[in-house]
């Protein structure tokens, strides 16, 4: 529990300084939900996708953009 207070303090402090925080290496929904609950808005990792070559990444982003519209 003490670690969570420490992390939330740093997230809030960096936000007040207009910094953005990226959490890397997220592999499970549980990790994603926990990190998101701390106020971290940019999260990446295998939970979302394995690393992709540029061409495949651009295709994936195009498909997602079409789905959201």
């Amino acid at each position: 529990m003490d670690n969570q207070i420490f992390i939330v303090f740093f997230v809030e402090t960096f936000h007040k300084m207009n910094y953005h925080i990226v959490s890397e290496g997220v592999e499970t929904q549980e990790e994603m939900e926990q990190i998101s609950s701390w106020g971290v808005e940019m999260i990446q990792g295998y939970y979302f996708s394995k690393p992709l070559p540029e061409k495949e990444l651009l295709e994936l982003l195009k498909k997602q953009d079409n789905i959201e519209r």
Side-chain angles (χ1 to χ4, degrees):
M1 185 64 160
D2 289 335
N3 289 340
Q4 290 183 26
I5 294 169
F6 184 73
I7 292 168
V8 170
F9 169 78
F10 274 100
V11 169
E12 290 174 354
T13 301
F14 281 112
H15 282 157
K16 288 176 184 174
M17 296 168 48
N18 293 318
Y19 283 97
H20 298 282
I21 301 167
V22 178
S23 179
E24 299 179 345
V26 175
E27 296 184 2
T28 67
Q29 182 173 351
E30 183 179 291
E31 290 173 339
M32 192 274 302
E33 289 172 355
Q34 180 67 65
I35 291 166
S36 182
S37 77
W38 294 333
V40 176
E41 65 278 336
M42 291 185 273
I43 303 171
Q44 66 183 46
Y46 274 91
Y47 175 73
F48 300 101
S49 175
K50 64 179 179 148
L52 299 172
E54 181 181 7
K55 184 177 178 181
E56 288 180 43
L57 174 61
L58 293 174
E59 289 173 11
L60 176 65
L61 293 174
K62 255 188 221 179
K63 286 179 188 176
Q64 287 181 342
D65 187 45
N66 287 336
I67 290 171
E68 291 177 3
R69 289 182 183 205

